[in-house]
Amino acid sequence: MDGLRPWRGRPIIADPRLRWGLGIGFAVYLVLALGSIEVNWLRVWEGLDRGWAFIRAFSEPDFVSRWRDISEGLIESLTMTVVSTVVGIAISVPVALGAARNLAPLPVYLLCRGIITLSRSFQEVIVAILFVAMFGFGPFAGMLTLSFATIGFLAKLLAEDIEDIDRSQAEAVQATGGSWLQWLNYGIQPQVMPRLIGLSLYRLDINFRESAVVGIVGAGGIGATLNTAFDRYEFDTAAAILIIIIAIVMLAEYSSGLIRRKVQ
């Protein structure tokens, strides 16, 4: 056993000079980047008290004092979530069909891929600010934002799933002389439907969480109530809202997981 050497994995970068050079360069960059950040330590010190007060509020959340505002915000968020998910799915399916290279001709493919790219280019908050500027404060702007974001998410993943289907099943439908709709309905749809249901449930969960974010910029929902609670330093009310959001997201997560297991 004396002549054996301990096993060592192969380094990702074989050249040790290049490996050390990259490591030193990253360390220098990190030091310079940290040095460029202006930190107001007085504000950090003052913020520690508020941070600790916020954490302590989770031990005594206030569900009662502003329950009317909380319940109205929750109902608004849930309405936005359901409507935007349904609208987003209704638009995403034809866009996904057009964005699948094995189904659509090149001009349609490029157009639908462009729609997906446009939808995925901007974060929801930026889109929400745009819609708030166009249509004013309220849940309508939030619904449009979440629907727009759903298109980029759902259409992209569904199009990739369509491109990976088993061609033999679709070709068998074509061999029988079936129309394009029959080919789509019997050759494509059965293969991607479980994936579509799973993605739709996942997006429903995402849209509820995002409804709390877009509300902060005035697009309605529980986010507006949460933002008001923070502005007033009502940490106990903010803690109650966050606990409710966590509970609903956990319920949605378990429910969607159960449904996905049933259909997939």
Side-chain angles (χ1 to χ4, degrees):
M1 298 296 289
D2 293 340
L4 296 179
R5 293 182 300 174
W7 180 84
R8 291 181 180 178
R10 298 178 61 182
I12 297 175
I13 302 174
D15 188 344
R17 292 171 297 179
L18 179 60
R19 191 165 63 243
W20 278 101
L22 289 174
I24 294 172
F26 176 75
V28 172
Y29 173 78
L30 187 63
V31 170
L32 293 176
L34 290 175
S36 66
I37 300 175
E38 296 181 1
V39 180
N40 187 333
W41 293 106
L42 179 61
R43 293 189 62 181
V44 172
W45 179 255
E46 292 174 351
L48 289 177
D49 287 340
R50 287 195 289 270
W52 177 241
F54 176 64
I55 294 173
R56 277 191 307 157
F58 279 90
S59 63
E60 296 178 347
D62 183 4
F63 294 92
V64 179
S65 301
R66 297 197 175 276
W67 175 246
R68 184 175 178 180
D69 295 333
I70 295 174
S71 60
E72 288 178 353
L74 278 175
I75 292 172
E76 207 167 80
S77 272
L78 291 172
T79 305
M80 284 167 50
T81 300
V82 174
V83 174
S84 62
T85 304
V86 171
V87 172
I89 293 171
I91 300 173
S92 296
V93 172
V95 173
L97 293 174
R101 190 67 188 97
N102 56 340
L103 294 186
L106 184 59
V108 176
Y109 170 79
L110 293 176
L111 174 64
C112 292
R113 282 290 172 178
I115 295 172
I116 293 174
T117 303
L118 180 66
S119 173
R120 293 171 52 81
S121 297
F122 303 103
Q123 215 276 338
E124 279 87 344
V125 172
I126 298 175
V127 180
I129 293 173
L130 174 65
F131 282 130
V132 166
M134 293 172 64
F135 303 107
F137 294 103
F140 182 68
M143 187 274 291
L144 291 177
T145 301
L146 299 179
S147 299
F148 185 74
T150 301
I151 295 170
F153 172 84
L154 200 68
K156 175 180 170 56
L157 296 179
L158 185 60
E160 291 176 353
D161 207 49
I162 293 172
E163 290 176 342
D164 292 335
I165 61 169
D166 181 6
R167 293 175 178 271
S168 60
Q169 184 174 339
E171 289 172 354
V173 176
Q174 282 182 317
T176 63
S179 64
W180 186 81
L181 284 177
Q182 289 173 325
W183 172 63
L184 201 65
N185 192 31
Y186 298 110
I188 309 296
Q189 179 263 340
Q191 298 190 58
V192 299
M193 182 54 79
R195 176 72 166 162
L196 174 61
I197 294 173
L199 289 174
S200 301
L201 292 170
Y202 186 43
R203 187 65 212 184
L204 183 75
D205 173 26
I206 294 174
N207 279 350
F208 178 73
R209 284 184 276 126
E210 292 297 333
S211 72
V213 177
V214 299
I216 293 176
V217 295
I222 192 64
T225 312
L226 181 63
N227 190 39
T228 303
F230 276 122
D231 288 342
R232 296 175 177 173
Y233 295 105
E234 295 173 346
F235 295 137
D236 48 359
T237 300
I241 294 172
L242 292 175
I243 289 172
I244 292 173
I245 291 174
I246 292 170
I248 293 177
V249 170
M250 288 180 65
L251 179 63
E253 176 64 23
Y254 288 128
S255 302
S256 62
L258 185 64
I259 295 173
R260 281 199 296 270
R261 282 196 294 274
K262 293 287 184 183
V263 300
Q264 290 180 332

